Amino acid sequence: MKIDLQNRDAAREIQALQDTIYVIGGKWKLPIINSICNGNKRFREIERSIPGITTRMLSRELKEMEMNKLIIRKVTPTSPVLVEYESTEYCRTFSPVIIAMIEWGLAHREKIREG
Amino acid sequence: MKIDLQNRDAAREIQALQDTIYVIGGKWKLPIINSICNGNKRFREIERSIPGITTRMLSRELKEMEMNKLIIRKVTPTSPVLVEYESTEYCRTFSPVIIAMIEWGLAHREKIREG
């Protein structure tokens, strides 16, 4: 039996790529992660920092991300209650992906402007 | 008027991030780019290299990516006609994003296996 290392690596890589796309799927998760990592804590702050997101969408994504341990929802029992979102260590593992995507987006815009 | 550099950068970054998500949106574009960059040229080769993709989906994505200059469709007038897909230089600018996502996926699977 021939072991084809080339193909095995490619298969493993495509699986890893598809895993990542699955976890961060959709338009909103990475922008939300980025916003919280940038220091936005309150719902309205996060909402304002992401153009185009609706209250309903943000609310749904935050709940899902809390369930998946991407963020922590911290409630301080002041009056009125203070709700703050914090990134977890797991959440911060996305930094290299987010940075690569920001860099691509900046270069892309630069290229479009040039001609 | 106070110029808030911090916020301006954050706004620019979120825009760049959203641009990138817009361009590579969906489940299939990055896996297809990755497959073609890995040397797969024929439709069936690309199809086989991406678990879960359907013929119809691949066909639609390839057409869209050809229109957006991400790939070149090369037809050789042999009998039967030979159709091959090639990545463009523009397509290859996604490498850092794809690599970051593959690395995240590999680390994620490792972490899940550990515990």
Side-chain angles (χ1 to χ4, degrees):
Chain A
M1 201 179 118
K2 203 175 127 201
I3 293 171
D4 190 338
L5 274 176
Q6 181 61 43
N7 277 337
R8 280 180 49 174
D9 280 352
R12 201 164 150 251
E13 286 186 0
I14 195 84
Q15 188 186 53
L17 180 58
Q18 288 188 306
D19 284 350
T20 307
I21 291 169
Y22 178 80
V23 173
I24 62 180
K27 287 168 69 178
W28 304 115
K29 285 202 182 61
L30 287 183
I32 294 169
I33 290 173
N34 186 55
S35 175
I36 296 176
C37 285
N38 275 349
N40 294 311
K41 290 172 184 295
R42 315 272 303 258
F43 189 94
R44 296 292 170 205
E45 284 173 350
I46 301 166
E47 191 180 18
R48 264 195 301 271
S49 73
I50 303 171
I53 200 164
T54 62
T55 304
R56 168 180 240 137
M57 214 96 83
L58 179 57
S59 176
R60 192 206 298 160
E61 293 281 1
L62 285 173
K63 263 185 207 131
E64 205 184 307
M65 289 164 74
E66 195 194 348
M67 266 170 35
N68 294 333
K69 315 272 185 213
L70 278 168
I71 55 170
I72 294 164
R73 186 172 182 271
K74 220 181 73 184
V75 181
T76 311
T78 46
S79 174
V81 161
L82 175 68
V83 178
E84 289 179 323
Y85 296 91
E86 279 172 16
S87 61
T88 60
E89 202 189 314
Y90 174 52
C91 182
R92 290 186 289 273
T93 62
F94 287 101
S95 291
V97 173
I98 291 174
I99 289 168
M101 289 177 80
I102 288 174
E103 280 171 358
W104 190 90
L106 291 174
H108 183 63
R109 210 164 260 264
E110 195 63 34
K111 206 184 140 193
I112 284 173
R113 205 165 38 196
E114 276 171 10
Chain B
M1 200 179 117
K2 204 175 125 200
I3 293 172
D4 190 337
L5 273 177
Q6 181 62 42
N7 277 338
R8 280 181 47 174
D9 280 352
R12 202 165 150 251
E13 286 186 359
I14 194 84
Q15 189 186 52
L17 180 58
Q18 289 188 305
D19 284 350
T20 307
I21 291 169
Y22 178 79
V23 174
I24 63 179
K27 286 167 70 179
W28 303 116
K29 284 202 184 57
L30 287 184
I32 293 169
I33 290 172
N34 186 54
S35 175
I36 295 175
C37 285
N38 276 348
N40 294 310
K41 291 172 184 294
R42 315 271 304 257
F43 189 94
R44 296 293 169 203
E45 283 173 351
I46 301 166
E47 190 180 18
R48 264 196 301 272
S49 72
I50 304 170
I53 200 164
T54 62
T55 304
R56 167 180 240 137
M57 215 95 84
L58 178 56
S59 176
R60 193 205 299 158
E61 293 281 0
L62 285 173
K63 261 183 210 132
E64 206 184 307
M65 290 165 74
E66 194 194 346
M67 265 169 39
N68 294 333
K69 316 272 183 212
L70 278 167
I71 54 170
I72 294 165
R73 186 172 182 272
K74 220 182 72 185
V75 180
T76 311
T78 44
S79 172
V81 161
L82 175 69
V83 179
E84 289 179 323
Y85 295 92
E86 279 172 16
S87 61
T88 60
E89 204 189 311
Y90 174 54
C91 182
R92 291 186 288 273
T93 62
F94 288 102
S95 292
V97 173
I98 291 174
I99 289 168
M101 290 177 79
I102 287 174
E103 279 171 358
W104 189 92
L106 291 174
H108 184 64
R109 208 163 260 263
E110 195 64 33
K111 206 184 142 193
I112 284 173
R113 204 166 40 195
E114 276 171 10

PDB file of all heavy atoms in Angstrom, chain A residues 50-64:
ATOM      1  N   ILE A  50     -19.891  47.990  15.124  1.00  0.00           N
ATOM      2  CA  ILE A  50     -19.989  47.075  13.978  1.00  0.00           C
ATOM      3  C   ILE A  50     -21.051  47.565  12.994  1.00  0.00           C
ATOM      4  O   ILE A  50     -22.248  47.372  13.203  1.00  0.00           O
ATOM      5  CB  ILE A  50     -20.334  45.642  14.449  1.00  0.00           C
ATOM      6  CG1 ILE A  50     -19.272  45.159  15.443  1.00  0.00           C
ATOM      7  CG2 ILE A  50     -20.428  44.691  13.259  1.00  0.00           C
ATOM      8  CD1 ILE A  50     -19.616  43.864  16.140  1.00  0.00           C
ATOM      9  N   PRO A  51     -20.618  48.224  11.894  1.00  0.00           N
ATOM     10  CA  PRO A  51     -21.582  48.756  10.941  1.00  0.00           C
ATOM     11  C   PRO A  51     -22.483  47.664  10.377  1.00  0.00           C
ATOM     12  O   PRO A  51     -22.006  46.604   9.976  1.00  0.00           O
ATOM     13  CB  PRO A  51     -20.697  49.338   9.830  1.00  0.00           C
ATOM     14  CG  PRO A  51     -19.367  49.570  10.463  1.00  0.00           C
ATOM     15  CD  PRO A  51     -19.226  48.506  11.503  1.00  0.00           C
ATOM     16  N   GLY A  52     -23.779  47.931  10.406  1.00  0.00           N
ATOM     17  CA  GLY A  52     -24.722  47.035   9.740  1.00  0.00           C
ATOM     18  C   GLY A  52     -25.347  45.976  10.635  1.00  0.00           C
ATOM     19  O   GLY A  52     -26.316  45.339  10.248  1.00  0.00           O
ATOM     20  N   ILE A  53     -24.790  45.762  11.825  1.00  0.00           N
ATOM     21  CA  ILE A  53     -25.356  44.719  12.676  1.00  0.00           C
ATOM     22  C   ILE A  53     -26.642  45.235  13.327  1.00  0.00           C
ATOM     23  O   ILE A  53     -26.749  46.416  13.656  1.00  0.00           O
ATOM     24  CB  ILE A  53     -24.341  44.220  13.746  1.00  0.00           C
ATOM     25  CG1 ILE A  53     -24.761  42.839  14.272  1.00  0.00           C
ATOM     26  CG2 ILE A  53     -24.178  45.229  14.889  1.00  0.00           C
ATOM     27  CD1 ILE A  53     -23.678  42.087  15.012  1.00  0.00           C
ATOM     28  N   THR A  54     -27.640  44.369  13.454  1.00  0.00           N
ATOM     29  CA  THR A  54     -28.875  44.774  14.122  1.00  0.00           C
ATOM     30  C   THR A  54     -28.844  44.300  15.578  1.00  0.00           C
ATOM     31  O   THR A  54     -28.073  43.410  15.943  1.00  0.00           O
ATOM     32  CB  THR A  54     -30.107  44.142  13.445  1.00  0.00           C
ATOM     33  OG1 THR A  54     -29.996  42.707  13.559  1.00  0.00           O
ATOM     34  CG2 THR A  54     -30.194  44.514  11.974  1.00  0.00           C
ATOM     35  N   THR A  55     -29.687  44.912  16.400  1.00  0.00           N
ATOM     36  CA  THR A  55     -29.771  44.548  17.817  1.00  0.00           C
ATOM     37  C   THR A  55     -30.104  43.063  17.974  1.00  0.00           C
ATOM     38  O   THR A  55     -29.488  42.352  18.761  1.00  0.00           O
ATOM     39  CB  THR A  55     -30.860  45.401  18.499  1.00  0.00           C
ATOM     40  OG1 THR A  55     -30.543  46.781  18.280  1.00  0.00           O
ATOM     41  CG2 THR A  55     -30.927  45.138  19.984  1.00  0.00           C
ATOM     42  N   ARG A  56     -31.072  42.616  17.186  1.00  0.00           N
ATOM     43  CA  ARG A  56     -31.495  41.215  17.254  1.00  0.00           C
ATOM     44  C   ARG A  56     -30.358  40.254  16.897  1.00  0.00           C
ATOM     45  O   ARG A  56     -30.135  39.246  17.559  1.00  0.00           O
ATOM     46  CB  ARG A  56     -32.665  41.048  16.279  1.00  0.00           C
ATOM     47  CG  ARG A  56     -33.034  39.618  16.025  1.00  0.00           C
ATOM     48  CD  ARG A  56     -34.193  39.518  15.059  1.00  0.00           C
ATOM     49  NE  ARG A  56     -35.284  38.834  15.706  1.00  0.00           N
ATOM     50  CZ  ARG A  56     -36.550  39.181  15.653  1.00  0.00           C
ATOM     51  NH1 ARG A  56     -36.904  40.241  14.981  1.00  0.00           N
ATOM     52  NH2 ARG A  56     -37.469  38.477  16.267  1.00  0.00           N
ATOM     53  N   MET A  57     -29.630  40.588  15.843  1.00  0.00           N
ATOM     54  CA  MET A  57     -28.513  39.753  15.383  1.00  0.00           C
ATOM     55  C   MET A  57     -27.416  39.693  16.444  1.00  0.00           C
ATOM     56  O   MET A  57     -26.911  38.621  16.763  1.00  0.00           O
ATOM     57  CB  MET A  57     -27.928  40.406  14.132  1.00  0.00           C
ATOM     58  CG  MET A  57     -27.421  39.453  13.128  1.00  0.00           C
ATOM     59  SD  MET A  57     -28.689  39.167  11.883  1.00  0.00           S
ATOM     60  CE  MET A  57     -28.439  40.590  10.808  1.00  0.00           C
ATOM     61  N   LEU A  58     -27.051  40.862  16.973  1.00  0.00           N
ATOM     62  CA  LEU A  58     -25.988  40.912  17.983  1.00  0.00           C
ATOM     63  C   LEU A  58     -26.400  40.117  19.210  1.00  0.00           C
ATOM     64  O   LEU A  58     -25.613  39.361  19.782  1.00  0.00           O
ATOM     65  CB  LEU A  58     -25.676  42.361  18.367  1.00  0.00           C
ATOM     66  CG  LEU A  58     -24.596  42.534  19.444  1.00  0.00           C
ATOM     67  CD1 LEU A  58     -23.283  41.868  19.039  1.00  0.00           C
ATOM     68  CD2 LEU A  58     -24.350  44.015  19.748  1.00  0.00           C
ATOM     69  N   SER A  59     -27.640  40.270  19.610  1.00  0.00           N
ATOM     70  CA  SER A  59     -28.147  39.566  20.777  1.00  0.00           C
ATOM     71  C   SER A  59     -28.048  38.055  20.580  1.00  0.00           C
ATOM     72  O   SER A  59     -27.586  37.319  21.456  1.00  0.00           O
ATOM     73  CB  SER A  59     -29.613  39.987  20.986  1.00  0.00           C
ATOM     74  OG  SER A  59     -30.162  39.275  22.046  1.00  0.00           O
ATOM     75  N   ARG A  60     -28.450  37.595  19.411  1.00  0.00           N
ATOM     76  CA  ARG A  60     -28.420  36.165  19.133  1.00  0.00           C
ATOM     77  C   ARG A  60     -26.983  35.626  19.099  1.00  0.00           C
ATOM     78  O   ARG A  60     -26.665  34.587  19.671  1.00  0.00           O
ATOM     79  CB  ARG A  60     -29.109  35.898  17.791  1.00  0.00           C
ATOM     80  CG  ARG A  60     -29.385  34.408  17.569  1.00  0.00           C
ATOM     81  CD  ARG A  60     -29.459  34.075  16.107  1.00  0.00           C
ATOM     82  NE  ARG A  60     -30.553  34.792  15.478  1.00  0.00           N
ATOM     83  CZ  ARG A  60     -30.651  35.009  14.163  1.00  0.00           C
ATOM     84  NH1 ARG A  60     -29.730  34.566  13.342  1.00  0.00           N
ATOM     85  NH2 ARG A  60     -31.666  35.681  13.662  1.00  0.00           N
ATOM     86  N   GLU A  61     -26.105  36.391  18.431  1.00  0.00           N
ATOM     87  CA  GLU A  61     -24.709  35.945  18.314  1.00  0.00           C
ATOM     88  C   GLU A  61     -24.030  35.912  19.683  1.00  0.00           C
ATOM     89  O   GLU A  61     -23.284  34.989  19.993  1.00  0.00           O
ATOM     90  CB  GLU A  61     -23.929  36.871  17.371  1.00  0.00           C
ATOM     91  CG  GLU A  61     -24.359  36.807  15.917  1.00  0.00           C
ATOM     92  CD  GLU A  61     -23.798  35.604  15.156  1.00  0.00           C
ATOM     93  OE1 GLU A  61     -23.075  34.790  15.750  1.00  0.00           O
ATOM     94  OE2 GLU A  61     -24.109  35.487  13.955  1.00  0.00           O
ATOM     95  N   LEU A  62     -24.294  36.932  20.510  1.00  0.00           N
ATOM     96  CA  LEU A  62     -23.662  36.979  21.834  1.00  0.00           C
ATOM     97  C   LEU A  62     -24.089  35.775  22.677  1.00  0.00           C
ATOM     98  O   LEU A  62     -23.268  35.173  23.368  1.00  0.00           O
ATOM     99  CB  LEU A  62     -23.997  38.293  22.549  1.00  0.00           C
ATOM    100  CG  LEU A  62     -23.261  39.544  22.050  1.00  0.00           C
ATOM    101  CD1 LEU A  62     -23.830  40.787  22.726  1.00  0.00           C
ATOM    102  CD2 LEU A  62     -21.750  39.455  22.287  1.00  0.00           C
ATOM    103  N   LYS A  63     -25.370  35.424  22.595  1.00  0.00           N
ATOM    104  CA  LYS A  63     -25.867  34.253  23.340  1.00  0.00           C
ATOM    105  C   LYS A  63     -25.157  32.988  22.881  1.00  0.00           C
ATOM    106  O   LYS A  63     -24.717  32.171  23.688  1.00  0.00           O
ATOM    107  CB  LYS A  63     -27.379  34.111  23.125  1.00  0.00           C
ATOM    108  CG  LYS A  63     -28.182  34.715  24.258  1.00  0.00           C
ATOM    109  CD  LYS A  63     -29.668  34.465  24.090  1.00  0.00           C
ATOM    110  CE  LYS A  63     -30.445  35.581  24.777  1.00  0.00           C
ATOM    111  NZ  LYS A  63     -31.496  36.155  23.932  1.00  0.00           N
ATOM    112  N   GLU A  64     -25.050  32.840  21.563  1.00  0.00           N
ATOM    113  CA  GLU A  64     -24.412  31.645  21.001  1.00  0.00           C
ATOM    114  C   GLU A  64     -22.933  31.596  21.399  1.00  0.00           C
ATOM    115  O   GLU A  64     -22.405  30.549  21.769  1.00  0.00           O
ATOM    116  CB  GLU A  64     -24.553  31.698  19.480  1.00  0.00           C
ATOM    117  CG  GLU A  64     -24.505  30.332  18.818  1.00  0.00           C
ATOM    118  CD  GLU A  64     -24.558  30.451  17.306  1.00  0.00           C
ATOM    119  OE1 GLU A  64     -25.483  31.117  16.789  1.00  0.00           O
ATOM    120  OE2 GLU A  64     -23.672  29.894  16.636  1.00  0.00           O
TER     121      GLU A  64
END
